[in-house]
C-alpha cells in the first residue's frame, strides 16, 4: 500500500463541489458536512450582536504554495493548492437608505467595527503606515474591490451585517489575509446580488488587497477562487490569469508545519522591497538593452517576452547588467536617466523608504532566472528528464538543481504528470523533493526571506522528508514538507518533541502542524 491509510487526512469540513465552470459554486448549507457545531456557534454570535439571523454564508480557503515563490509579481507561474482551513462569513443584507457595514468577529481579539460604505476608500487611504493593519481593514479591501467593480450607482444600497470566523493560521504564510479579503469580496457580491465569475473575482481581489499596502502578485486570490478539490494548480498570470489542474502523485503527502515565528507582511516593508528590487532589475535591464519603453516594463516576464529571450539568456543578461553589490537608489536613477526624486516618489518606491535599504537587484533576479541550466526549453528538459530518469537518477538530480525558480514550477508539474510506471513512484517523490529543497536554498540565500526558526525546522526535518521549503512570503511562517505516507507518523512525533516541545512547550504542536491535501475554493452556501 502507499501508506495513505496511516495518515489522518481531513476530508470533512469542505463542501463537495463540482468544479467544471468559472461560476462560483453555490450549495445548500446543509450539504456542508462536519461543520454544524461551528456554524451554530457563529450563528449565535451573529444573533447576539445583531438581533437577527444570517441569510447567507460564504467560505474561502487559505493556501499552501508547493513551489514558485516570490515570482508571481514578476509574472511567472506558481503552484499552489487550497488547504482545508478557511474563513467563514455569515451575512445578512437589508435594503436601506444609507449603505452601512457592521462587522463582528467570533474571536474577541478582533474588535467590532462599523462604518458607512462611502467612507471605506478614505479609511483605507488614511490608514496608519508601518504598523500592523487592524483586521477589519482587510475586510474593507474586499468590499471596496467588489463595489468598485459592480459600479452599481443606481441600484439599491444595503445595511450589511457580517460575522467572520477565520480558521487559517494568521501571519503564517498560508494566506489568511487573502482568505479574509476574498471572503469579504464574495460576501459583498452575494449581498449586492452580483454575478461575477471566479477569475474575475480573483483579479479584483488581487488588486483590492493592495489597498492594505502590499504589492502582491495575485497567487493567493487566484487559488482562493479557482481551487479544485483533489488537484493543485499551475497558476499563470501572463498573458492572462489561468489555472491548470494537476493531480499530485498518489503516494505524496504534504505536511505543513508552522515555525511559530510570525510574519505580519503589511507591518514591515520586507515584501514591498522585494517587489521593488525585481521591478528595478527589470527597468535597468530593459534600459541597458535599449528598450525605449523601459519604464513601462514592471515585470521580469514582460521583459523576457519583449526581448524574446529564453530564461537562460535572461540569466546571462542579469550577470551582464546587474552587479552583485547592493544598489543605492541614486545609482538606479542615474542608470535609468531619471531624476532621483522622481524615482523616489514612484508609488512603490515611496512606500519602502528606498533611500535606506540596500537594493540587491542581482541576487533577486538570479532567484528568478539563474540556474546555469544547460537546456533552453522545458520541452527538451523534459525529454532529457524522461530519458535519464530510468537509468541515472543522480544525473537528473544534478539537472534539477540547476533550474531556476521560474523553471522549477514547470518541472514540478511535469514530474507530477510523468507516467508512474515509467518513472517509478518513489523516484517521482525524490525528484519533486529536490526541486522543493532547491527552491528553499534559493529563497534563503538569494532572496533572503527565510528566518532562523524556518531553517532550524528544516534542518530537523531533512532526514524524514524528500524535500522541504518555506511557503508563502517567508520571514517566518510555515514550511511545507514532502513525505511518503509511511514516514508521516514518525516525523510528526519527532517534530512534536524536538521542535515544538523544546521551543514552545507542550501544547504547541497540535495547532501548528497538519497533513493536507488539495481542497475546494471559494463557495457560497445558502441557508
Ligand atoms: P498571512 O496572509 O500569511 O496569514 P498576513 O500578514 O498577510 O499573513 O495577514 C495576516 C492578517 O490578516 C492578520 O494580522 C489579521 O489582521 C488578518 N486576519 C487573518 N485571519 C484573521 C481572522 N480570523 N480574523 C480577523 N483577521 C484576520
Ligand atoms: P503571503 O504569504 O500570503 O504574504 C505573499 C503574496 C503572494 C506571493 C507570496 C510569495 C500577497 C497577498 N501575497 O504571500 O502574492 O508573492 O507572498 O510567493 O501579497
Ligand atoms: Mg497575506
Amino acid at each position: 500500500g502507499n501508506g495513505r491509510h496511516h495518515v489522518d487526512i481531513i476530508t470533512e469540513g469542505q463542501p463537495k463541489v463540482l468544479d467544471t465552470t468559472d461560476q462560483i459554486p453555490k450549495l445548500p448549507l446543509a450539504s456542508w458536512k462536519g461543520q454544524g457545531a461551528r456554524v451554530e456557534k457563529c450563528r449565535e454570535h451573529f444573533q447576539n450582536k445583531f438581533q437577527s439571523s444570517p441569510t447567507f454564508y460564504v467560505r474561502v480557503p487559505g493556501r499552501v504554495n508547493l513551489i514558485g515563490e516570490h515570482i508571481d509579481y514578476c509574472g511567472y507561474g506558481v503552484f499552489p493548492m487550497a488547504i482545508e482551513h478557511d474563513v467563514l462569513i455569515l451575512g445578512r443584507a437589508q435594503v436601506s437608505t444609507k449603505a452601512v457595514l457592521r462587522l463582528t468577529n467570533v474571536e474577541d481579539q478582533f474588535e467590532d467595527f462599523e462604518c458607512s460604505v462611502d467612507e471605506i476608500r478614505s479609511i483605507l487611504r488614511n490608514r496608519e503606515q508601518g504598523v500592523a493593519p487592524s483586521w477589519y481593514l482587510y475586510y474593507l479591501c474586499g468590499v471596496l474591490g467588489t463595489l468598485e467593480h459592480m459600479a452599481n450607482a443606481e441600484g439599491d444600497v444595503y445595511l450589511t451585517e457580517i460575522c467572520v470566523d477565520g480558521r487559517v493560521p494568521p501571519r503564517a504564510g498560508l494566506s489568511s489575509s487573502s482568505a479574509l479579503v476574498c471572503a469579504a469580496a464574495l460576501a459583498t457580491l452575494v449581498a449586492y446580488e452580483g454575478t461575477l465569475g471566479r477569475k474575475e473575482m480573483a483579479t479584483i481581489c488581487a488588486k483590492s488587497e493592495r489597498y492594505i499596502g502590499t504589492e502582491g502578485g495575485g497567487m493567493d486570490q487566484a487559488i482562493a477562487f479557482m481551487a479544485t478539490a483533489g488537484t493543485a494548480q499551475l497558476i499563470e498570470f501572463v498573458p492572462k490569469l489561468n489555472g491548470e489542474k494537476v493531480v499530485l502523485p498518489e503516494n505524496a503527502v504534504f505536511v505543513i508545519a508552522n515555525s511559530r515565528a510570525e510574519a505580519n507582511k503589511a507591518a514591515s516593508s520586507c515584501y514591498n522591497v522585494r517587489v521593488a528590487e525585481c521591478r528595478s532589475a527589470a527597468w535597468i535591464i530593459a534600459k541597458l538593452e535599449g528598450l525605449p519603453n523601459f519604464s513601462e516594463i514592471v515585470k521580469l516576464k514582460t521583459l523576457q517576452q519583449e526581448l524574446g529571450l529564453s530564461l537562460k539568456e535572461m540569466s546571462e543578461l542579469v550577470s551582464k547588467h546587474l552587479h552583485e553589490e547592493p544598489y543605492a537608489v541614486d545609482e538606479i536613477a542615474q542608470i535609468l536617466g531619471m531624476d532621483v526624486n522622481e524615482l523616489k516618489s514612484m508609488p512603490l518606491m515611496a512606500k519602502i523608504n528606498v533611500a535606506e535599504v540596500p537594493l540587491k537587484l542581482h541576487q533577486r533576479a538570479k532567484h528568478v532566472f539563474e540556474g546555469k541550466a544547460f537546456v533552453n526549453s522545458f520541452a527538451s528538459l523534459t525529454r532529457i528528464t524522461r530519458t535519464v530518469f530510468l537509468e541515472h537518477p543522480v544525473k537528473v538530480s544534478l539537472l534539477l538543481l540547476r533550474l531556476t525558480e521560474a523553471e522549477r514550477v514547470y518541472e514540478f508539474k511535469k514530474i507530477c504528470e510523468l507516467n508512474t510506471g515509467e518513472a517509478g513512484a518513489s523516484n517521482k517523490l525524490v525528484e519533486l523533493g529536490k526541486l522543493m529543497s532547491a527552491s528553499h536554498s534559493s529563497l534563503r540565500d538569494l532572496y533572503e526571506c527565510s528566518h532562523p526558526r524556518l531553517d532550524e525546522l528544516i534542518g530537523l526535518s531533512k532526514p524524514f522528508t524528500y524535500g522541504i521549503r518555506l511557503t508563502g512570503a517567508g520571514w517566518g511562517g510555515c514550511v511545507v514538507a514532502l513525505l511518503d505516507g509511511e514516514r508521516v507518523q514518525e516525523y510528526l512525533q519527532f517534530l512534536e518533541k524536538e521542535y515544538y516541545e523544546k521551543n514552545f512547550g507542550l501544547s504547541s504542536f497540535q495547532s501548528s502542524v497538519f497533513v493536507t491535501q488539495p481542497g475546494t475554493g471559494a463557495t457560497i452556501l445558502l441557508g
Side-chain angles (χ1 to χ4, degrees), residues 208-225:
S208 70
E209 188 168 343
R210 294 188 192 122
Y211 293 129
I212 213 73
T214 44
E215 281 293 308
M219 156 169 72
D220 306 340
Q221 302 83 358
I223 195 68
F225 280 103

Side-chain angles (χ1 to χ4, degrees), residues 56 58 89 139 160 162 182-192 201:
F56 63 83
V58 301
I89 289 179
Y139 196 96
T160 322
I162 296 291
C182 295
L186 184 55
T188 309
L189 186 72
V190 176
Y192 281 72
M201 285 300 281

Side-chain angles (χ1 to χ4, degrees), residues 189-208:
L189 186 72
V190 176
Y192 281 72
E193 296 172 356
T195 51
L196 299 170
R198 299 189 201 220
K199 284 189 184 170
E200 221 166 346
M201 285 300 281
T203 306
I204 291 167
C205 291
K207 182 168 162 252
S208 70

Side-chain angles (χ1 to χ4, degrees), residues 124-366:
L124 286 171
R125 193 181 298 139
N126 299 328
R127 74 170 191 85
E128 199 182 338
Q129 302 292 318
V131 299
S134 301
W135 78 277
Y136 56 81
L137 295 174
Y138 293 88
Y139 196 96
L140 298 186
C141 287
V143 175
L144 187 57
T146 296
L147 291 183
E148 273 177 348
H149 197 85
M150 291 182 44
N152 181 11
E154 310 294 298
D156 285 332
V157 297
Y158 296 88
L159 163 69
T160 322
E161 294 165 334
I162 296 291
C163 171
V164 174
D165 177 23
R167 300 284 175 93
V168 185
R171 298 176 291 277
L174 301 177
S175 229
S176 70
S177 62
S178 304
L180 179 54
V181 170
C182 295
L186 184 55
T188 309
L189 186 72
V190 176
Y192 281 72
E193 296 172 356
T195 51
L196 299 170
R198 299 189 201 220
K199 284 189 184 170
E200 221 166 346
M201 285 300 281
T203 306
I204 291 167
C205 291
K207 182 168 162 252
S208 70
E209 188 168 343
R210 294 188 192 122
Y211 293 129
I212 213 73
T214 44
E215 281 293 308
M219 156 169 72
D220 306 340
Q221 302 83 358
I223 195 68
F225 280 103
M226 291 154 68
T228 46
T231 53
Q233 289 196 24
L234 174 69
I235 305 271
E236 301 262 25
F237 305 95
V238 177
K240 61 183 175 43
L241 182 60
N242 190 44
E244 225 182 305
K245 297 173 197 176
V246 182
V247 178
L248 298 167
E250 211 198 315
N251 55 336
V253 174
F254 291 94
V255 175
I256 297 174
N258 191 343
S259 71
R260 297 181 75 96
E262 292 200 337
N264 191 311
K265 262 67 68 174
S268 86
S269 62
C270 299
Y271 185 85
N272 284 340
V273 168
R274 293 297 176 279
V275 181
E277 288 171 322
C278 289
R279 275 189 203 177
S280 306
W283 286 328
I284 290 184
I285 297 173
K287 166 87 182 177
L288 297 181
E289 284 296 300
L291 294 183
N293 61 337
F294 72 92
S295 64
E296 287 155 33
I297 296 174
V298 289
K299 291 184 177 175
L300 287 166
K301 171 132 188 191
T302 323
L303 172 65
Q304 183 192 357
Q305 288 182 329
E306 292 258 328
L307 294 171
L309 298 177
S310 69
L311 286 166
K312 183 189 172 212
E313 289 162 326
M314 288 303 291
S315 167
E316 285 162 9
L317 284 188
V318 172
S319 303
K320 182 175 165 196
H321 292 312
L322 299 173
H323 57 66
E324 284 188 43
E325 300 70 44
Y327 286 73
V329 67
D330 308 61
E331 184 184 358
I332 297 176
Q334 190 215 325
I335 297 170
L336 298 178
M338 270 170 96
D339 179 78
V340 66
N341 289 322
E342 189 192 339
L343 183 61
K344 278 186 193 166
S345 65
M346 286 173 75
L348 181 59
M349 297 295 185
K351 262 186 211 165
I352 63 175
N353 201 356
V354 81
E356 281 168 22
V357 277
L359 300 164
K360 299 195 181 176
L361 311 191
H362 177 99
Q363 290 81 346
R364 312 313 181 215
K366 286 238 157 169

Side-chain angles (χ1 to χ4, degrees), residues 50 65 188 235 282 365 480:
F50 303 126
N65 188 25
T188 309
I235 305 271
V480 57

Side-chain angles (χ1 to χ4, degrees), residues 42-88:
C42 293
R43 233 191 315 239
E44 242 169 65
H45 186 96
F46 192 105
Q47 185 76 43
N48 288 339
K49 284 288 168 192
F50 303 126
Q51 281 74 53
S52 64
S53 301
T55 56
F56 63 83
Y57 305 73
V58 301
R59 55 91 58 185
V60 177
R63 61 98 187 95
V64 59
N65 188 25
L66 299 180
I67 200 144
E69 216 64 82
H70 283 285
I71 58 173
D72 59 347
Y73 50 80
C74 298
Y76 289 99
V78 295
F79 202 93
M81 65 189 195
I83 56 177
E84 55 268 32
H85 300 67
D86 61 15
V87 170
L88 168 67

